[in-house]
Amino acid sequence: MSLSMSDRSLVEPVVRRLNVLRPLSEEARASLEYAVLEGLQRARSSEDLITEGDAVDSVRVVLSGWLCRYKTLEDGRRQIVNFIFPGESCDAHAFLLSVMDHSIATMTPVIYSEIKRARFESLLAGDRALAEAFWCETLVNIAIQREWAINLGRRAAAERVAHLFCEIFERLRPVGMVEGDSCVMPVTQMDLADATGLSVVHLNRTLQELRASGLITLRERTLTIPDLDALKDAALYSPSYLQLYRGAETTDDARREQQIRHRTSRLQD
């Protein structure tokens, strides 16, 4: 099977995402590309790819578009518990459990790959770095959930929204979806409210506050962050939990996290 340039372009976000977590050999990249292209699927916006209670026998890897993980209460209230971006898997290793404990829905039209369990396990068995990259992704998702729990439990409204925007920006950057100081933002205010635990009215007021402070511009489905460091400071944000950068940038993240801990301890004293 030979891959065209368009094929490679489609799979590139997945390769770039995993390669940040664990450097992949050319052989691993080729095996991953073939496996992904074998199972190409498309979905329209506002479709459930997985519903809570479903059995899972495959791994879905996102190539383009945005999805969200969510839970719904009996009275219909929804909480978005994470976003899923191009290059990320919906449910790596979820087939080890009996059923899904949450639902996954598309927020935009999506292209994804469905890799059957046997094919996925064979892929990982053939390359240790690739297997570790997928396990790292699972661990990063757990770290993201911890940050979202802190967001809902301890951060003020402006900090919550600023933190979410910082995270989105940082997660999109390694897969080439940030241009300068801007990235796409194709979600509604209702989606943002459901992700931050705010009412739509409160969310709208918070967005106006961030705009008035010059921290963000949100226009025509595009988020612009003129000064990312300033937004990070406003959100008490450090991207180290995402494990997306190595070397000097990791040192910078550690320094920022130290500053945040120091500021927090002073507030508590």
Side-chain angles (χ1 to χ4, degrees):
M1 177 182 180
S2 60
L3 300 181
S4 67
M5 288 299 292
S6 60
D7 289 336
R8 289 186 179 278
S9 176
L10 192 61
V11 183
E12 185 65 16
V14 183
V15 174
R16 291 179 66 166
R17 164 77 171 131
L18 293 174
N19 192 59
V20 168
L21 297 171
R22 281 294 184 276
L24 303 179
S25 66
E26 287 302 319
E27 293 79 8
R29 293 184 186 206
S31 298
L32 177 63
E33 288 169 346
Y34 293 146
V36 168
L37 291 171
E38 283 174 359
L40 285 184
Q41 306 281 341
R42 295 176 184 268
R44 293 171 296 182
S45 181
S46 302
E47 286 187 8
D48 275 350
L49 287 192
I50 304 168
T51 303
E52 184 174 351
D54 284 352
V56 180
D57 65 350
S58 59
V59 175
R60 293 167 179 83
V61 179
V62 182
L63 308 182
S64 70
W66 286 33
L67 302 92
C68 67
R69 302 179 189 273
Y70 73 93
K71 300 271 289 186
T72 305
L73 299 179
E74 291 183 2
D75 61 5
R77 285 176 292 168
R78 181 183 70 156
Q79 178 68 49
I80 292 177
V81 297
N82 199 353
F83 292 127
I84 305 172
F85 300 127
E88 299 177 352
S89 65
C90 292
D91 42 31
H93 310 297
F95 53 72
L96 297 173
L97 304 175
S98 55
V99 295
M100 289 292 288
D101 69 337
H102 64 278
S103 302
I104 297 177
T106 60
M107 307 175 77
T108 68
V110 166
I111 301 176
Y112 67 100
S113 176
E114 192 167 305
I115 307 174
K116 293 299 181 183
R117 174 176 182 169
R119 180 76 171 93
F120 184 69
E121 290 181 325
S122 174
L123 182 68
L124 300 194
D127 190 276
R128 178 175 178 174
L130 190 56
E132 288 185 355
F134 273 105
W135 276 115
C136 283
E137 186 195 42
T138 297
L139 293 172
V140 168
N141 278 331
I142 295 170
I144 289 172
Q145 296 306 153
R146 285 192 288 267
E147 286 295 324
W148 280 48
I150 295 169
N151 234 21
L152 294 175
R154 284 291 178 264
R155 291 190 177 100
E159 293 171 339
R160 288 187 203 181
V161 178
H163 195 281
L164 179 61
F165 286 160
C166 287
E167 180 182 288
I168 289 171
F169 197 86
E170 293 286 3
R171 287 170 66 184
L172 291 178
R173 186 154 56 178
V175 293
M177 297 189 66
V178 168
E179 294 186 10
D181 57 5
S182 298
C183 66
V184 295
M185 181 59 64
V187 298
T188 66
Q189 287 198 15
M190 176 65 77
D191 295 328
L192 291 175
D194 286 350
T196 54
L198 302 172
S199 68
V200 175
V201 172
H202 197 175
L203 184 278
N204 184 272
R205 190 161 57 241
T206 303
L207 290 176
Q208 291 178 21
E209 179 184 337
L210 293 173
R211 287 192 185 102
S213 301
L215 292 172
I216 66 162
T217 300
L218 196 54
R219 185 183 300 120
E220 297 178 352
R221 299 164 68 88
T222 299
L223 170 68
T224 300
I225 304 175
D227 186 339
L228 183 58
D229 285 340
L231 189 65
K232 287 180 178 180
D233 287 341
L236 300 176
Y237 181 88
S238 169
S240 57
Y241 67 99
L242 297 176
Q243 304 291 331
L244 293 180
Y245 303 103
R246 293 188 292 268
E249 289 176 283
T250 302
T251 302
D252 291 342
D253 292 345
R255 187 180 301 114
R256 176 176 293 276
E257 199 151 296
Q258 239 180 8
Q259 292 170 346
I260 290 171
R261 285 198 297 268
H262 178 64
R263 288 168 57 186
T264 303
S265 63
R266 284 199 308 174
L267 288 172
Q268 291 173 342
D269 289 344

